[in-house]
Every structure is written in structure tokens, then in C-alpha cells.
Amino acid sequence: MQTSTGNVKPPRVCDNYWSEFKHCKSLSNRFHHYYTYGTTPSCQQWKEDYYNCREWEKHKGTEAKEELQKSERNRVAEQSKFTPVWKLRQDPPRDWHLPLNQDKPQDS
Amino acid sequence: MDQTKEEDFGYDLFPERRKGKYKKGSIAESLFTFNHKCQVMLQFAMETSPYAKLLLSAMKSSGCKVWKDRHFSCEDCDGTVSGGFDAASSQIVLCQNNIHQQSHMNRVVTHELIHAFDHCRADVDWFNNFRHLACSEIRAANLSGDCSFSNEVSRFNFGLKQHHQECVRSRAIRSILAVRKINREEAEKIVDEVFEPCFNDHTPFGRIPHSKKDAKFAYRDYENRDRYYANL
């Protein structure tokens, strides 16, 4: 969401991009990725994001900012590209907070 | 779907909640039995497991704050089942007679909290919609550490390339068969139908947490989510 003053800081603290990069490249993560997906992870994007983040912070460069935001928006899109099986609620279930023994026992 | 066999929704595994009575034990029971050990391990899990802490935080944000005494119940259960989520009473059941190690408790708490989280944020029809049930079981097996390499090896399930997905699939089928009276073929078909969207739904972790470090990173991201979404 663009405010009148524009975005003021990177989506994450810059060091977080570096720690994600190192974590991505670690032996244990590569193992887990292979165990899950049968491939090796690609980690380069985290490194680029780190440099763009630093560039944004130091020189307030528009290009670096846009590259970083594009990368993060891609990440969000990746997480939401599947149609959910259920409908999301607007409010939590009403009986979550009710005390016990006031719920109707389940009929089987 | 064949409905001639009477469905009991798996409540036979949890005999203490069959009649809908929620009894409180004596002080002696709470101090010297498995019940006390279960309570202690539960408290430790809620305070120290990054998986549990993230889920508790996410549930609070979704309007379902978890109170240990209201939403958790340590009980004796049948067979080898470790726990369950009872949507009718909004309670997570922990099988005090089957959970003896902290690492196991951490995993069961995480698994059941994922069901509770799904119950809180989505219109899940636990009792009538098998696709919903399957989806939550896939997510719970995927995100709780149930299918970690070491856990699978300890079950003598040796596999490497993409084995995680095989494990998630088979544990989801197993969980469904334990609580619903359908046959294996039907269960397999339902799990296959919903596998792709549900395996790839990593909410609220944002990733599949394979290790404590993954879970800590996920928790860090979750705590900073306001800044994240405001600056995209």
C-alpha cells in the first residue's frame, strides 16, 4: 500500500536477508530441500535481495527498492497460488471461548 | 459415501470424553501420575518450542487466544494415539499415557495446534467434509515435524528423495482412517484430490519448518509481518 510519503524502509531488516541466504545454502537446508522436493534449493535471490536492501538503505536508490519489492511480491505470490479447499472465516468460531459443559455434546 | 456403519468420529479413541463430561481429578492424581508429567511437558512446549509459540501467536491474532486450562486436556487414550483436536469442545487432547518424551510432546502440541488454527481461521466442516479433514491432516503432518527424516528413520521408513511428501500423504491417510469409518481406497482418493493445495499451504509458518532454526526464522518473520506487508 503506497502512502503519500511512499515506502520508508525495506520489508525486512537487511541482515535477515543475509541470514536467510546463509541458511538456504547450509548443508542441512540443502538436505531438507532434497528430502522434500527432490531438488537442490536456489538461494541466489536472497543474496541479491540483501545487496538491494543495503543499496536502498545507504543511497535510497529507486531501482534497488523496486527490485527488492518485486522479489518479495513474487515470494508472496508463490505462497498464495493454490486455490484453498475451504473458505476463510470473517470471525473466529463463536464457541471457542465458551466455558466447557456449555457446549452441546456431539451426536454420533 | 456408505453410511450404514455408525460413525463415531473417532471418539472411541478418547474414552474420557465419550459422555461429554469433563471431570477434574484429585490433587493426588494431578501430582503423582502421568497427568502431572503431561501438564509439565505441555507448559514447557508452550513456552519454549518455536513451532508452538508461532502457532499460539497466530491463533491469538486470529481471535482464538489459547488458554492452557481451557483448550488443552491431558487424558488417557486408547491404543497408540498421541492426541487429537475435538472441534465440538474446542479442545486439544493430549494422551498422557502415550507421550513420554518432551520432543514428542512438542510435536503433538504443534500438530494439534495446526488443527486448532485451521478451525479458527477457516470454515472447516470436521464432521461432514472429508476434504476439509484431509487438508488439515496433510498440513499437520507437513508442518509439525511428524515427517522429518529422523522421525521416519525411527519408524524404519527409509527414503530420501521427496520422501517427505510420501510420509505426509501416508500419515494423513492413516489419521483419517483412525477417526472415520471409510475404507483405505476412499481415504487415498480424497488425500490425492486435495494434496497439492494443502501441501503448499504453509500458513502461518510461511515455509515448511524442518528444524528448530527454520521455525525460529518463521517466528521472526511472523513477528515482523506488519512491517513486511506495509513495505511491499
Side-chain angles (χ1 to χ4, degrees):
Chain A
M1 205 186 330
Q2 291 282 350
T3 63
S4 56
T5 52
N7 302 113
V8 291
K9 52 187 169 183
R12 302 180 212 233
V13 167
C14 291
D15 282 343
N16 288 1
Y17 290 108
W18 190 255
S19 62
E20 290 284 3
F21 173 62
K22 298 294 283 182
H23 178 61
C24 181
K25 287 182 75 65
S26 69
L27 189 59
S28 65
N29 184 62
R30 290 211 303 257
F31 173 82
H32 287 307
H33 199 270
Y34 187 77
Y35 177 68
T36 309
Y37 299 107
T39 57
T40 47
S42 92
C43 304
Q44 198 53 28
Q45 192 58 49
W46 289 115
K47 192 177 185 186
E48 283 181 31
D49 289 346
Y50 173 72
Y51 287 123
N52 281 324
C53 186
R54 280 269 174 252
E55 187 61 33
W56 178 353
E57 267 185 348
K58 252 195 289 186
H59 303 124
K60 308 279 182 235
T62 334
E63 201 184 314
K65 174 181 140 189
E66 280 172 10
E67 283 297 312
L68 181 58
Q69 286 178 321
K70 187 170 126 198
S71 163
E72 288 287 22
R73 283 196 282 255
N74 273 345
R75 282 201 183 99
V76 172
E78 280 292 310
Q79 283 286 318
S80 22
K81 68 184 182 190
F82 297 93
T83 320
V85 156
W86 44 48
K87 263 198 349 230
L88 291 181
R89 291 176 158 272
Q90 303 289 348
D91 302 298
R94 266 181 297 122
D95 54 6
W96 180 259
H97 296 288
L98 283 180
L100 287 168
N101 291 327
Q102 288 193 16
D103 301 318
K104 295 193 225 90
Q106 181 60 35
D107 289 292
S108 29
Chain B
M1 194 124 355
D2 182 11
Q3 291 289 350
T4 54
K5 283 181 275 181
E6 199 170 315
E7 181 61 79
D8 72 355
F9 302 107
Y11 278 101
D12 61 332
L13 294 170
F14 307 100
E16 288 187 37
R17 46 192 54 230
R18 212 177 263 141
K19 295 202 168 57
K21 280 206 184 105
Y22 305 98
K23 64 173 171 60
K24 289 220 185 306
S26 66
I27 293 175
E29 182 195 352
S30 58
L31 283 178
F32 300 114
T33 61
F34 283 149
N35 189 276
H36 178 64
K37 184 178 175 188
C38 177
Q39 298 287 355
V40 169
M41 287 201 291
L42 167 61
Q43 182 70 30
F44 193 76
M46 288 173 76
E47 284 175 359
T48 65
S49 159
Y51 294 78
K53 279 158 58 175
L54 195 164
L55 283 159
L56 290 168
S57 182
M59 287 189 69
K60 186 176 174 192
S61 307
S62 302
C64 294
K65 182 163 181 191
V66 171
W67 299 100
K68 181 164 152 280
D69 294 330
R70 165 62 179 87
H71 296 111
F72 282 98
S73 177
C74 285
E75 299 173 9
D76 285 329
C77 310
D78 278 1
T80 55
V81 67
S82 306
F85 174 64
D86 181 6
S89 62
S90 305
Q91 270 199 326
I92 288 171
V93 180
L94 300 170
C95 298
Q96 61 198 19
N97 54 328
N98 292 329
I99 305 173
H100 300 299
Q101 287 184 312
Q102 186 64 52
S103 58
H104 189 194
M105 175 60 83
N106 292 352
R107 197 161 45 83
V108 176
V109 166
T110 302
H111 182 115
E112 302 306 335
L113 276 173
I114 289 167
H115 291 320
F117 176 68
D118 286 342
H119 178 70
C120 179
R121 64 162 181 144
D123 247 320
V124 181
D125 184 356
W126 297 98
F127 298 101
N128 300 309
N129 192 323
F130 282 67
R131 289 161 57 89
H132 287 186
L133 176 64
C135 194
S136 195
E137 289 297 352
I138 288 166
R139 278 175 35 79
N142 187 21
L143 303 170
S144 63
D146 275 349
C147 284
S148 72
F149 181 76
S150 45
N151 279 332
E152 277 290 271
V153 163
S154 71
R155 296 177 193 122
F156 301 106
N157 294 330
F158 300 105
L160 185 55
K161 185 173 179 178
Q162 282 184 283
H163 182 75
H164 179 87
Q165 294 188 42
E166 271 174 51
C167 169
V168 168
R169 193 176 166 274
S170 78
R171 286 187 76 78
I173 291 165
R174 197 167 150 270
S175 294
I176 294 168
L177 290 174
V179 297
R180 293 291 184 274
K181 290 182 168 57
I182 59 169
N183 67 47
R184 176 164 277 273
E185 254 177 37
E186 284 176 310
E188 285 176 355
K189 183 165 167 283
I190 291 162
V191 165
D192 283 341
E193 271 176 24
V194 300
F195 193 80
E196 214 190 344
C198 301
F199 183 78
N200 288 293
D201 179 359
H202 303 150
T203 327
F205 294 93
R207 67 183 83 199
I208 299 175
H210 293 289
S211 62
K212 260 201 189 154
K213 188 163 189 193
D214 274 334
K216 284 187 180 146
F217 275 34
Y219 189 42
R220 174 179 76 181
D221 288 348
Y222 189 77
E223 302 252 90
N224 295 319
R225 68 195 181 286
D226 288 342
R227 167 178 169 162
Y228 183 74
Y229 288 106
N231 289 291
L232 285 182

